[in-house]
Amino acid sequence: MTAAPRTPWTPPDTWARWRRGDGCAMCADSHLPENEHSFLAAELRRSYVRLPRNQYCRGWTIVALKRHANELFELAPAELAEFWQDVSDVARALQDIYQPAKLNYAIFGNRCPHLHCHLLVQTFADDPTAPIDFQAKTVLLPPTEYSAMIETLRARLQL
Amino acid sequence: MTAAPRTPWTPPDTWARWRRGDGCAMCADSHLPENEHSFLAAELRRSYVRLPRNQYCRGWTIVALKRHANELFELAPAELAEFWQDVSDVARALQDIYQPAKLNYAIFGNRCPHLHCHLLVQTFADDPTAPIDFQAKTVLLPPTEYSAMIETLRARLQL
């Protein structure tokens, strides 16, 4: 086995700046109808819901906090509750649409600390022990398919 | 590269049973002082906080919902809020103890659907793109070290 090439962490001074929200990539583009990585699917109370262009895992959806914060404990109790209610509502919609074996919910933020939760749809055909690897492969769809997915999601969210 | 051996998903009938809480492994052992995988570190409002024996990622901590549920949308709004307040409180404690570059929060449940959130401590020495892989390696500690970690965590949680 060959070791995979190692990506270094963002240097501490830049990282500290991003954590303060200065130069944060997601503050700049989470609200845009489309950006390099994803499409805006919905605006909820505390979050923007985005559909990644890379649908390597069909149904992959991101719920990003509207304002800048890095860790859950930076949110006041009511804000924390409302953010997770948004995530929960999107999860229910994905459950209705895909009828998965299990949903996964993951906040990483190792490359951009802005709070955002990945929702991944696991099926009975998946390996339950396989780590979530966004770089595993890239599956791009025709533009009409993204639009259809967003429409279906919005309908389930009753938007 | 050789493909990793593939683990199949739990068969649908067994999985459906576990989802109902019938035969759920975490319902049986999440409250125990110790079980095969972890030690009980604290009991919070809605959750049991557990320290995995495998400390391959130093500081790895699990916050498991006390009652059986599979997905976030099965929780009533107040319960959802209180569960995430527990997770947030543990995250703050881990932040104080480890001063990480970033915390990761992940609910998978692909092998046991009972709601539990993994908290992973990422340092500046880590590869930010490396997927979370609990099977990557096993690092066991001397018993006194687990006790010391639990004591430190409880002190930070003001328990």
Side-chain angles (χ1 to χ4, degrees):
Chain A
M1 264 178 57
T2 317
R6 216 187 147 281
T7 304
W9 203 280
T10 302
D13 51 344
T14 306
W15 191 246
R17 205 157 50 73
W18 291 358
R19 283 186 72 102
R20 290 194 304 269
D22 177 8
C24 171
M26 292 192 69
C27 282
D29 74 6
S30 281
H31 62 291
L32 299 177
E34 53 182 292
N35 64 35
E36 187 189 344
H37 306 290
S38 60
F39 301 93
L40 181 65
E43 179 179 350
L44 300 181
R45 187 157 181 183
R46 291 287 182 181
S47 61
Y48 296 112
V49 182
R50 303 197 63 94
L51 183 69
R53 292 175 190 271
N54 181 7
Q55 284 292 309
Y56 85 98
C57 177
R58 184 76 179 204
W60 177 17
T61 303
I62 293 171
V63 181
L65 188 72
K66 285 183 187 175
R67 74 154 176 115
H68 186 82
N70 308 285
E71 304 292 356
L72 294 184
F73 51 83
E74 294 169 32
L75 278 55
E79 189 182 18
L80 183 73
E82 287 162 6
F83 172 72
W84 284 106
Q85 195 59 59
D86 285 358
V87 176
S88 176
D89 291 346
V90 174
R92 186 191 295 272
L94 294 176
Q95 176 77 30
D96 291 345
I97 296 166
Y98 296 99
Q99 301 288 319
K102 187 73 188 70
L103 289 167
N104 294 166
Y105 315 76
I107 294 177
F108 299 130
N110 299 347
R111 293 211 283 182
C112 174
H114 188 121
L115 259 183
H116 60 289
C117 183
H118 298 276
L119 285 165
L120 279 296
V121 171
Q122 299 282 351
T123 76
F124 284 102
D126 292 324
D127 177 344
T129 67
I132 290 178
D133 183 1
F134 302 132
Q135 302 187 305
K137 57 181 176 172
T138 301
V139 176
L140 300 176
L141 306 177
T144 51
E145 212 161 327
Y146 294 121
S147 313
M149 288 174 78
I150 289 171
E151 209 172 304
T152 305
L153 182 61
R154 291 183 62 87
R156 286 288 178 176
L157 286 167
Q158 301 186 299
L159 296 175
Chain B
M1 266 178 52
T2 318
R6 216 187 147 282
T7 305
W9 202 281
T10 302
D13 51 344
T14 306
W15 191 246
R17 207 156 49 72
W18 291 358
R19 283 186 71 102
R20 289 194 304 270
D22 177 7
C24 171
M26 292 193 69
C27 283
D29 73 6
S30 281
H31 61 291
L32 300 177
E34 54 181 292
N35 65 35
E36 187 189 344
H37 305 291
S38 60
F39 301 93
L40 182 64
E43 179 178 350
L44 300 181
R45 187 157 183 183
R46 290 288 181 181
S47 61
Y48 295 112
V49 182
R50 302 197 63 94
L51 183 70
R53 293 175 190 270
N54 181 7
Q55 284 291 309
Y56 86 98
C57 177
R58 184 76 181 205
W60 177 18
T61 303
I62 294 170
V63 181
L65 188 72
K66 284 183 188 175
R67 75 156 176 112
H68 185 83
N70 309 285
E71 304 291 357
L72 294 184
F73 52 81
E74 294 169 32
L75 277 56
E79 189 182 17
L80 184 72
E82 287 162 4
F83 172 72
W84 284 106
Q85 194 59 59
D86 285 357
V87 176
S88 176
D89 290 347
V90 174
R92 187 192 293 273
L94 295 176
Q95 176 77 30
D96 290 345
I97 298 166
Y98 296 100
Q99 301 288 319
K102 187 74 188 68
L103 289 167
N104 294 167
Y105 315 75
I107 293 177
F108 299 129
N110 299 347
R111 293 211 283 180
C112 174
H114 187 120
L115 260 183
H116 59 289
C117 183
H118 298 275
L119 285 164
L120 279 295
V121 171
Q122 298 282 351
T123 76
F124 284 103
D126 292 324
D127 177 344
T129 67
I132 290 177
D133 183 0
F134 302 132
Q135 302 188 304
K137 56 180 175 171
T138 301
V139 175
L140 300 176
L141 307 177
T144 50
E145 212 161 327
Y146 294 119
S147 314
M149 289 173 78
I150 289 171
E151 210 172 304
T152 305
L153 181 62
R154 291 183 62 88
R156 285 288 178 176
L157 287 167
Q158 302 186 298
L159 297 175

